[in-house]
Amino acid sequence: VWAIWFAPAATIFINAKTSTVNVKDVINLTTDSKLAKPEEGTLLAKTESTQKDAEVSFDATGTKDVGEKAKGTLTLSQNTESDGIAVAAGTGFSSGDCTFITQKSVVIPGVKFTGGKPQGTGEVDVAVVASDVGEQCNLSARTYLSPISAVSANGTAMSGGSKKTIKVVTNEDLESAKQKLASNSNDNVKAELTSKFGSGYKVIGESFAANAADPVVSPAVGEEASSGKATVKANTTYTLTAIENTQLSKFLESAIKDKMEDKDNQKVY
């Protein structure tokens, strides 16, 4: 009984002398298990990815005048030439700040002369369109200034001109929106990818990457933003890489052993 319950006992503590070894080396990562050699610095890695659609709404700051151009008819006449006078398409006839452009080429008929005097007047009608949009060129019937000295121009009432100022998307708007899109926090996406690896992997935080496709803006640059608002969307692929813990442990153990000065009496912990 004494030997079982009253025999003396002792606890022995052994303190091991440890030292820290810093490992700084270049490693290679591979996704092919056949190529993995952690002891030689080639570690098996795994990459997880996910795709997300990102969207940013922004104000369109550009403006543009749009509308219809006034239209009508000019009667071109001359009484100085017997062979007729050609007037090319695109010739402009003006009244005040409005210029009307001929829509086709025409020839004003020549006139007969008797005793050196013209017998009548050569005339031809031609459709014209104002050079600018706006109701300011809805003009009453009148005479127009001709660029051809021998030709006179008289117009019917011009009508149909209108104008309004609209909001449009500018290149600057798009670039600003793209910057906002790129600055959106990716913390939630990174956490989502990290959770896919589980506890058996060491995540390489610096490997996190976001590769965005070309952004799509609606409406397009230069187009009307009817509400004054526009959006830019981009599909982004996010990736994150991690190393298996067992692979990392094998690499570190091998690297530390190479630095040991007394391999027989030292151990890696």
Side-chain angles (χ1 to χ4, degrees), residues 13-44:
F13 294 93
I14 299 176
N15 293 320
K17 183 179 180 181
T18 62
S19 60
T20 301
V21 176
N22 294 318
V23 176
K24 183 178 181 181
D25 205 345
V26 176
I27 63 172
N28 298 308
L29 301 181
T30 179
T31 57
D32 188 343
S33 59
K34 296 179 180 179
L35 299 179
K37 297 179 180 179
E39 294 84 357
E40 299 177 12
T42 300
L43 282 63
L44 184 64

Side-chain angles (χ1 to χ4, degrees), residues 11 22 34 92 99 121 138 142 145 164 194 228 248 250 255:
T11 301
N22 294 318
K34 296 179 180 179
T99 297
T121 301
N138 292 333
R142 64 186 64 196
L145 179 65
K164 67 176 181 177
T194 299
L248 189 59
K250 290 178 180 179

Side-chain angles (χ1 to χ4, degrees), residues 22-162:
N22 294 318
V23 176
K24 183 178 181 181
D25 205 345
V26 176
I27 63 172
N28 298 308
L29 301 181
T30 179
T31 57
D32 188 343
S33 59
K34 296 179 180 179
L35 299 179
K37 297 179 180 179
E39 294 84 357
E40 299 177 12
T42 300
L43 282 63
L44 184 64
K46 181 181 180 182
T47 298
E48 293 287 357
S49 65
T50 186
Q51 288 188 336
K52 302 287 184 182
D53 288 322
E55 179 177 330
V56 168
S57 177
F58 61 94
D59 293 323
T61 63
T63 59
K64 182 169 68 174
D65 290 335
V66 297
E68 299 296 328
K69 297 178 179 181
K71 301 176 182 179
T73 301
L74 287 181
T75 298
L76 306 180
S77 61
Q78 67 92 14
N79 61 3
T80 62
E81 301 293 333
S82 60
D83 293 334
I85 298 176
V87 180
T91 302
F93 295 83
S94 301
S95 176
D97 294 331
C98 294
T99 297
F100 287 84
I101 309 300
T102 57
Q103 298 302 291
K104 67 177 182 177
S105 297
V106 294
V107 176
I108 305 172
V111 296
K112 292 181 179 181
F113 289 81
T114 301
K117 295 182 179 180
Q119 303 301 304
T121 301
E123 294 183 348
V124 66
D125 290 338
V126 62
V128 292
V129 176
S131 58
D132 299 315
V133 301
E135 59 275 0
Q136 75 279 1
C137 290
N138 292 333
L139 305 180
S140 59
R142 64 186 64 196
T143 297
Y144 286 80
L145 179 65
S146 171
I148 305 172
S149 60
V151 175
S152 298
N154 291 283
T156 61
M158 305 295 177
S159 61
S162 64

Side-chain angles (χ1 to χ4, degrees), residues 218-242:
S218 178
V221 172
E223 297 298 320
E224 180 180 8
S226 57
S227 65
K229 294 284 188 179
T231 58
V232 61
K233 299 179 181 179
N235 180 269
T236 303
T237 300
Y238 299 91
T239 57
L240 185 65
T241 300

